[in-house]
Structure formats: structure tokens, C-alpha cells
Amino acid sequence: MKVGVTKEIYPGECRVAATPETARRLIDKLGFEVVVETGAGDAASFHDDSYQDAGCVIADDAADVWNDADILLKVRSPQEQEVEYLREGQVLICFLAPAQNETLLEKIAGRNATALAVEAVPRISRAQKLDALSSMANIAGYRAVVEAAGLFGRFFTGQITAAGKVPPAKVLVIGAGVAGLAAIGTARGLGAVVRAFDVRPEVADQVKSMGAEFLMLEFEGDEQGGTSGGYAKTMSKEFIDAEMALFAAQAKEVDIIITTALIPGKPAPKLITREMLRSMRRGSVVVDLAAEQGGNCEATVPDKVVQYEGVHVVGYRDLTSRLAHTSSQLYGTNLYHLLDEMGGAEKFDVDMEDDVVRSATVVKDGHVTWPPPPVSVSAAPKEKVVESAAPSAVVEKKIGLFDVSLMVVAALLLVGVAMTRDQGFITDFTVFLLSCLIGWQVIWNVTASLHAPLMSVTNAISGIIIVGGMIQVGAADPIAAWLGALAIFVATLNIAGGFLITHRMLGLFRK
């Protein structure tokens, strides 16, 4: 089977659906033949020579690729002239935005072709490696901070110099999905003080683990913001009012706001009003990652940076394309895994019984199959089911021959000690047994988080030595007294050093 890769004709799009590296993997590991339009990767710094070295065939124009390939890999949705190239039985894989492009799906169906929308891949564990939407969101979040840094007039990190003090930038990230978490990590890496908000309470731990402050909404009610698909959902009016009040208060304090709030299939919610922009300090920056679907900010202008009351509002819709080399590599890898999931060249099949393939397939052999059946991937906690406790079985411990033998040996040992009639020896032996018991009970029962198992054993032995040394310190023989004191000193050092080393070991696992 042949896989075709064409040059993107959408204005300003620099990405390419396969890089020389991913094309080589398609050829060597999955057995495909790869045909690439000449100049397809130039905008992403992948030249024709690199594709030829990887084993690809270079076609002179897009028509040759469309006519020759069985599977077409693209980034953007096909334009009008590209749809005309589709033929019966051909498979198209790209971003299609099926919820907003019903007309496009009908046109593809009219060509009796099959189409897979990569953004429709469900967010389940086994599909993470082919989740192109998350890959692109990760890059967009990173690039959003870079764009903000270029427009912001100060350092992100705070500095104290001989010339004066520079406070750290304060960044608010609205939406803690993949893009939001990438923005948080990048801003934290640059030294900014980062705050984040999301309607899904289950992401709070992720935000905190990255060193940011999670803003809790003071709202009376038990409203959950997540859906079974792992995305945010539309909230009630009361919740939205409380949310907007929180944003209004934060706008007066922060220097940079990055918005990532999107609900699949719906226009982006307006979260940053013009009044909030007027309350921000001059020179502040708002980066709207939802500009593609209308924007989260009322002043957003798609594909432009505008100033509103001294605040920069970034509405770029091509943030991933501004890192075309990395974006293409990640996207190409996602497509490689998708084709691997579909069987490779020898067993290629659009299996509608496979949850991943079924969710991504929006047109199958001329029939529109969107929307797919839901696949539950929610991370929200499930309701606890109280089960009656089953009666525990009582296992009667049986005394075996080995246990009886130990008891007999112990009894004979005690009788032998008593038969010596040496009062001093009997006293020392009794002290030894008591010191063993005390050392084991005292040291062994210390909280497990304070010591390692091996360290607890050595400390128990040291405890025995200390008890014995304390007895010998009071002996009449000066040599025995000095040896007892030395034993106490050495054993004490061992115990103190043991706890110190354990404390340092545990510190390696703390933030």
C-alpha cells in the first residue's frame, strides 16, 4: 500500500504530516511505500533530499500524490480542490473538526472515500501515543508562554541586582488541560509565579505538582466540570458568575493571562471581558489559545496581536505552526502509531470494532459515521459502593515439630544456665535477654517512615549493646567499665547516624 504526503495549502500552515524519520518508520517497520510531494516539508525544514534518503518517492505535484496513494496523510482539513482529488476507497487521515464541518464530511462521503479525524481519538490509556490533539496542545501551551515573554516588558523571574529589584511575573493559566499544563511548566521554568484554574477539580493535584497555585472557586454546590470524555463541560449560570468574579479579581493582580478553555463542538466561552482588560496593568499580556473557535477574550482578533487599553491580546491560531519542525515530528509520530494500530501495510483495516479506530472514523466507505459512540475516560471519582464486610475466616495456628523443638531447646538452655549456680552469670544472662526484648520492642516499633528496614535491625542491635554497656559501666573492674562506656558511645553514634542517613534518603523523595 502507498501512503501519500502532500504540501499543506492552508494559508500560513508550515507543518507536514510526515517527517523523514517518521516516513522511514512507515517504510521499514510497517511496510508502506511513501510518496511525498516535492517541497512538502520545506516550511518545516525538511527537504526533499532527506525524504529520498529515508526511502520516499518524490512526486512532482499534489495531483500525482492524490492519484497514486491509497492513504493520504495531511495536517489541515482538505480544501475544496483537494476534496475533488479524493477517489473511491481512498483513506484520508488529518484534522477534520467533524463537529463543525458537517458539509465537508458529506463531500468526502460523496466521493465514496473514508476519513479519519485525528482529533477524535479517545483519550484512553492505549491511545495516548496517537493522540495528536494532545501533542499539538502541548506545543501550543509552550509557544503561548514564549509569545507572552516576547511582548512582556520584564523578566519572568524575579531578580535582585545592584541596580535594583525586579519582581517575578505573575501568570494566570485558565484551563489545566494539556495546553494549560504545558504553559504552567514553561512559565514556572522561566521563574514566574503561576496560578491556574480549571472547572475540573481532579486536575488540582497536577497543577500543584508542577509548582503552581490552584485557584479554588468559592461556590455553593457540588457541580462537576468534567465529562465522560475527559473534557470540560458547560456549567450553570451560578457557577459561571462565581468564575467570572474570580477572573475579575485575578486580572487586577496578574501580569499575563493564558486562556485555553474550549468545549468540543461549541464556540469558545468568553472568560476575559473588556472590563477585566481595563483593570489590568499597562504592558500586560493575554494569550488566547481558543482564538480558533472565537476566543476566550472579548478583544481577541484572530491571527493578530492587538492592544486594548495598553494590554497586548494575542490571537494567533497558528502557534503549533510556529514550531513547525517539532510539531511535524510529533504529529508524524502520532500518525505512525495510528497506522500501526490499523494493522500496517499487510493487514491495514478500518476496524469499526476497535474503540480507537471507530472513534476517529468519521466517514466510512461513503457513509458519515460521526458522531461515534461515547467512550468513558473520565478521571472524576466514582461513587463509593458500600459493601457488607464478609466474615473473616479464623485460621487456627497449628504447632509443628519445629516449634516444639525450639521450645525444648530453650527450656534446656534455661535449665543449663540455672544449673551453673553462678549468680553473676545468671544475672548477666537475664540482662541480656531483657535487653534483647527491650531493644527489639523500642526500636522495631518506630514509625516505618522514619527508618529503612535494614536500619531498624542495626538500631535494634545497637540498643541491645547500649543496655549491656550501661550494666557494665557500674562494674567494679575498671576495664569492664571503660569497655561498657566505649560500647555505649559507639552504639549511640551508630543509632544517630542511622537516623540521619535515613532522613537524607527520605529527603530525596520530597519536593
Side-chain angles (χ1 to χ4, degrees):
M1 295 187 71
K2 290 186 179 181
V3 172
V5 180
T6 61
K7 185 176 182 179
E8 298 296 321
I9 62 175
Y10 187 88
E13 181 57 66
C14 299
R15 292 172 292 177
V16 63
T19 67
E21 180 182 338
T22 61
R24 181 182 286 108
R25 295 171 69 184
L26 290 173
I27 297 170
D28 296 342
K29 296 186 177 181
L30 300 186
F32 288 106
E33 296 179 45
V34 180
V35 182
V36 181
E37 180 186 356
T38 182
D42 286 349
S45 301
F46 299 113
H47 301 296
D48 291 348
D49 292 343
S50 300
Y51 285 104
Q52 287 180 323
D53 293 341
C56 302
V57 176
I58 304 299
D60 292 333
D61 55 32
D64 292 339
V65 177
W66 286 89
N67 292 330
D68 197 26
D70 303 298
I71 304 169
L72 267 300
L73 303 183
K74 280 181 51 60
V75 179
R76 292 274 186 171
S77 302
Q79 303 299 299
E80 193 71 33
Q81 62 268 38
E82 291 177 314
V83 175
E84 298 299 322
Y85 286 133
L86 275 171
R87 67 174 188 272
E88 183 176 352
Q90 213 166 26
V91 178
L92 173 66
I93 303 176
C94 62
F95 283 102
L96 286 169
Q100 292 86 33
N101 286 330
E102 294 182 11
T103 303
L104 177 59
L105 299 186
E106 293 293 342
K107 290 180 179 179
I108 295 174
R111 307 293 296 183
N112 290 323
T114 297
L116 279 74
V118 293
E119 66 266 59
V121 169
R123 289 186 168 178
I124 58 179
S125 297
R126 73 182 183 91
Q128 288 181 355
K129 60 185 177 182
L130 43 93
D131 186 357
L133 194 63
S134 293
S135 297
M136 298 302 101
N138 179 34
I139 294 175
Y142 171 85
R143 184 70 190 193
V145 177
V146 173
E147 295 291 342
L151 293 170
F152 189 53
R154 296 204 319 263
F155 293 131
F156 264 52
T157 184
Q159 291 192 6
I160 299 177
T161 69
K165 179 180 179 182
V166 179
K170 295 180 180 179
V171 178
L172 171 63
V173 178
I174 300 177
V178 177
L181 292 174
I184 291 171
T186 307
R188 284 287 301 147
L190 291 175
V193 175
V194 184
R195 304 167 184 173
F197 172 81
D198 197 288
V199 297
R200 297 163 295 179
E202 60 264 27
V203 303
D205 290 338
Q206 300 178 48
V207 171
K208 293 176 182 177
S209 69
M210 300 185 71
E213 175 188 358
F214 186 77
L215 300 177
M216 298 299 296
L217 189 63
E218 296 181 1
F219 173 74
E220 295 182 1
D222 189 24
E223 193 166 0
Q224 297 293 325
T227 66
S228 62
Y231 296 93
K233 69 176 184 180
T234 304
M235 309 300 290
S236 66
K237 182 181 183 304
E238 292 76 12
F239 187 96
I240 293 175
D241 290 342
E243 182 183 60
M244 296 298 283
L246 174 66
F247 297 155
Q250 290 296 317
K252 299 176 182 178
E253 301 180 14
V254 300
D255 304 299
I256 296 168
I257 298 178
I258 298 174
T259 65
T260 70
L262 281 175
I263 299 173
K266 296 184 179 180
K270 300 298 181 185
L271 304 178
I272 304 299
T273 64
R274 298 180 186 274
E275 290 75 14
M276 295 180 193
L277 293 175
R278 283 192 284 269
S279 70
M280 297 180 72
R281 289 184 286 269
R282 298 184 71 86
S284 298
V285 182
V286 174
V287 183
D288 193 343
L289 293 184
E292 184 101 29
Q293 291 179 226
N296 296 137
C297 178
E298 290 183 346
T300 296
V301 177
D303 298 322
K304 292 185 178 180
V305 178
V306 298
Q307 282 201 32
Y308 184 87
E309 300 290 338
V311 177
H312 301 281
V313 181
V314 181
Y316 292 145
R317 295 184 295 180
D318 61 347
L319 289 174
T320 52
S321 188
R322 290 168 181 262
L323 282 174
H325 192 280
T326 302
S327 298
S328 299
Q329 183 61 45
L330 295 181
Y331 182 67
T333 302
N334 293 141
L335 295 186
Y336 163 79
H337 287 301
L338 177 58
L339 292 175
D340 186 24
E341 182 79 17
M342 299 176 73
E346 293 184 1
K347 301 179 181 179
F348 183 82
D349 180 36
V350 183
D351 184 6
M352 300 299 276
E353 298 299 322
D354 187 312
D355 287 341
V356 175
V357 177
R358 172 63 188 92
S359 296
T361 304
V362 295
V363 179
K364 177 71 163 63
D365 296 331
H367 300 284
V368 176
T369 60
W370 174 265
V375 178
S376 179
V377 297
S378 177
K382 298 181 180 179
E383 294 183 3
K384 295 182 179 179
V385 179
V386 180
E387 298 180 355
S388 57
S392 57
V394 178
V395 180
E396 183 178 353
K397 179 175 174 59
K398 296 182 179 180
I399 300 176
L401 180 61
F402 181 73
D403 296 327
V404 173
S405 300
L406 286 179
M407 294 173 62
V408 171
V409 171
L412 292 176
L413 182 61
L414 291 175
V415 170
V417 171
M419 290 178 64
T420 62
R421 297 183 180 181
D422 186 338
Q423 185 176 359
F425 176 72
I426 295 175
T427 300
D428 290 342
F429 185 76
T430 303
V431 170
F432 173 74
L433 291 179
L434 290 175
S435 63
C436 290
L437 179 63
I438 294 173
W440 172 59
Q441 288 291 335
V442 172
I443 303 299
W444 194 263
N445 288 324
V446 174
T447 304
S449 62
L450 298 180
H451 58 73
L454 179 61
M455 199 66 69
S456 67
V457 175
T458 58
N459 284 349
I461 297 174
S462 298
I464 297 171
I465 295 173
I466 289 177
V467 174
M470 293 173 63
I471 298 298
Q472 296 301 324
V473 165
D477 189 343
I479 297 178
W482 279 106
L483 289 176
L486 180 61
I488 294 173
F489 176 73
V490 174
T492 302
L493 286 180
N494 185 53
I495 292 176
F499 278 111
L500 179 61
I501 292 173
T502 304
H503 177 74
R504 290 183 177 179
M505 291 173 59
L506 294 173
L508 297 176
F509 300 95
R510 298 193 184 101
K511 277 277 185 182

